[in-house]
Amino acid sequence: MFCYATTPSDGSHYRAKISQDCEHFTDVYMLADVEMAAKVNQDGIHIFVDLNGYTAGGKAEVFHMSPAPVQLLPGVSYFGSMGGGSMDSYISDRIGTPPETACSHGAGDACLYHEKMVLLPNSYQMNDHKQAHYHIL
């Protein structure tokens, strides 16, 4: 598994665990978008998953360059469309992302998601309010 870190380390044990558990962990926050896209392409990534969307550390511009053949946005990390057609599919569930909000579903003016919907059965985004935040540990 390849993991590209788009933000500097926060020193948390979560970041340390992710970097240790990934077969290939690379800090790319200092790279220009074109350089990151080239790195992803050179690494031979077939399925490129965006866990940030339009949030801090997000690299939407890299995804717009399409450095991988398949690009996905999972709703468990970012609820919302990226628009612009840079993502092939949006992975979610019927609760978080009702199918009638998909543009491909014929939503018309209610069209919220431009990506192809992949709706997982019997699932829902889990939230764990009891898990400690890194700054409290």
Side-chain angles (χ1 to χ4, degrees):
M1 175 184 4
F2 284 77
C3 181
Y4 301 98
T6 60
T7 57
S9 177
D10 58 5
S12 70
H13 80 276
Y14 299 113
R15 169 74 175 241
K17 178 148 179 55
I18 291 168
S19 66
Q20 291 167 6
D21 290 350
C22 287
E23 187 177 349
H24 303 278
F25 184 90
T26 307
D27 281 308
V28 294
Y29 66 90
M30 72 302 250
L31 297 180
D33 294 337
V34 171
E35 294 172 316
M36 182 181 167
K39 172 78 174 136
V40 169
N41 188 269
Q42 289 166 359
D43 286 343
I45 302 303
H46 296 279
I47 301 173
F48 194 26
V49 180
D50 183 1
L51 296 179
N52 288 325
Y54 291 119
T55 63
K59 290 288 197 173
E61 295 82 5
V62 172
F63 284 88
H64 289 302
M65 294 178 212
S66 300
V70 176
Q71 300 186 154
L72 305 174
L73 182 65
V76 296
S77 63
Y78 182 78
F79 270 115
S81 176
M82 293 294 287
S86 64
M87 295 296 170
D88 296 300
S89 297
Y90 184 85
I91 303 169
S92 190
D93 57 67
R94 295 179 186 285
I95 296 169
T97 314
E100 58 271 13
T101 61
C103 300
S104 60
H105 191 267
D109 291 341
C111 168
L112 299 176
Y113 293 87
H114 298 271
E115 300 82 3
K116 177 183 174 191
M117 291 290 209
V118 176
L119 299 176
L120 303 175
N122 306 315
S123 66
Y124 180 67
Q125 178 191 24
M126 300 302 292
N127 296 290
D128 182 2
H129 71 281
K130 294 182 180 180
Q131 182 171 305
H133 295 280
Y134 71 90
H135 64 278
I136 298 174
L137 298 175

